[in-house]
Amino acid sequence: MNIDPGLLKSVWALLRQRASVHLWVFYYLMFSHIAPGIPFIDAKHFRVLARVLERAGRGEVRRLLICIPPRHGKSMLSSVVLPAWLLGIDPGAKIVC
């Protein structure tokens, strides 16, 4: 199957643009780099958590308590992916984890 290189470039450009706006897209695209060898699982709670963390990153949510059982991805999203996403948007951001 031949894929038009121009189309592929425009799809990647669109994905990069979406990843700079939506934490979930960034997480999806970067998962293979963040957790090599682990298959990506699309779970609803990841999307919900990503949406709330986006709001926290924008300053709309000032306090956030995450009550999710162990081994359900809360540390990966909040302590690894969120800081990387925020620093990609604003390299001068001050982040404490």
Side-chain angles (χ1 to χ4, degrees):
M1 175 169 63
N2 292 332
I3 298 174
D4 178 28
L7 177 63
L8 196 56
K9 264 187 178 178
S10 61
V11 168
W12 275 110
L14 178 63
L15 282 173
R16 279 193 305 272
Q17 186 272 333
R18 300 279 291 175
S20 68
V21 176
H22 299 288
L23 179 62
W24 170 251
V25 178
F26 178 79
Y27 177 58
Y28 177 77
L29 292 175
M30 294 294 114
F31 187 80
S32 63
H33 300 286
I34 295 167
I38 298 173
F40 181 80
I41 297 172
D42 185 13
K44 185 177 180 179
H45 73 278
F46 287 139
R47 292 176 184 260
V48 171
L49 181 56
R51 227 176 335 212
V52 172
L53 289 172
E54 274 180 30
R55 292 182 60 216
R58 287 192 298 262
E60 296 170 13
V61 172
R62 302 280 301 168
R63 295 175 184 217
L64 178 62
L65 177 66
I66 303 170
C67 295
I68 298 176
R71 309 282 306 156
H72 279 76
K74 64 185 171 293
S75 295
M76 176 75 76
L77 267 169
S78 60
S79 298
V80 176
V81 177
L82 179 64
W85 182 68
L86 291 172
L87 288 171
I89 293 170
D90 179 11
K94 306 272 192 254
I95 298 174
V96 176
C97 288

